[in-house]
Amino acid sequence: MTVDWNRQNFSGSDPESHPAVTALRRELPSAVLEVGTSCGEVWAVVAPSDSIAVLTLLRDDPALLFNFLSDLTAVHWPKREGAEFDIVLQLYSISLRHRFRIKVRLAEGESTPTASGVWKTADWLEREVYDMFGIRFEDHPDPRRILNPDGFEGHPLRKEFPLQGRVRW
């Protein structure tokens, strides 16, 4: 199978024409809240309640085959009202050699379902996000801190974390 779109970057000018966006709009029309591009890569924002259905579709659709979760991280936007956090999942298709990014926006105290049932590697990456940002993943199999010691207070990658790193633990 040869796919010449989006070998490394999306070459189209309209992110709505990206095959992953087209498939999501067709199969889960209410799931996609926003689409855009950044550095030649297309991204889509999806609702937390739809995230597992979206990820499963992107993994299982034979035209997309995003079979590798290459990264899962978060970004803290403390000045953005209503959704201060972006969960960012970077997907890659090993066989088709294309990329796609999913974002899930959350407010302080909100959680999103774990993606560890879709990709096992999400188990470890979600633990990092919890430790560094304090974001919880529903039904995560092992939601412990992974980088900071037990008893450590705070989440170091939040923007309000003290720059001097002086916290009690």
Side-chain angles (χ1 to χ4, degrees):
M1 175 185 294
T2 302
V3 174
D4 60 2
W5 55 269
N6 198 17
R7 283 270 180 210
Q8 291 298 319
N9 292 311
F10 180 60
S11 58
S13 59
D14 181 11
E16 288 288 337
S17 66
H18 189 282
V21 174
T22 303
L24 290 173
R25 296 270 193 218
R26 181 184 63 241
E27 301 295 327
L28 301 166
S30 63
V32 179
L33 305 176
E34 183 181 346
V35 296
T37 58
S38 177
C39 299
E41 292 185 17
V42 178
W43 49 264
V45 176
V46 301
S49 59
D50 295 325
S51 63
I52 298 304
V54 165
L55 298 175
T56 302
L57 173 69
L58 293 172
R59 181 195 63 190
D60 296 343
D61 187 314
L64 302 173
L65 296 176
F66 288 104
N67 52 1
F68 179 51
L69 173 64
S70 62
D71 197 13
L72 188 156
T73 188
V75 181
H76 185 202
W77 303 99
K79 294 181 180 175
R80 188 169 67 194
E81 289 187 30
E84 299 90 22
F85 296 96
D86 283 344
I87 305 293
V88 181
L89 297 99
Q90 186 69 41
L91 309 180
Y92 186 70
S93 171
I94 295 170
S95 58
L96 302 176
R97 301 182 196 168
H98 56 105
R99 299 178 190 277
F100 191 63
R101 187 176 302 150
I102 292 291
K103 297 180 182 182
V104 178
R105 293 192 171 142
L106 299 172
E108 177 69 41
E110 286 185 332
S111 60
T112 186
T114 179
S116 62
V118 182
W119 294 284
K120 184 64 180 159
T121 191
D123 180 338
W124 192 263
L125 298 170
E126 288 173 350
R127 288 176 65 185
E128 287 182 358
V129 168
Y130 165 68
D131 199 2
M132 303 310 272
F133 293 93
I135 298 169
R136 295 192 178 273
F137 294 87
E138 299 163 14
D139 301 322
H140 190 280
D142 189 12
R144 289 180 292 143
R145 293 200 102 136
I146 192 169
L147 300 171
N148 292 301
D150 290 337
F152 185 84
E153 294 179 13
H155 302 282
L157 290 183
R158 286 183 173 215
K159 300 279 170 75
E160 75 268 7
F161 192 80
L163 291 177
Q164 298 299 318
R166 294 191 177 105
V167 295
R168 186 176 157 237
W169 58 281

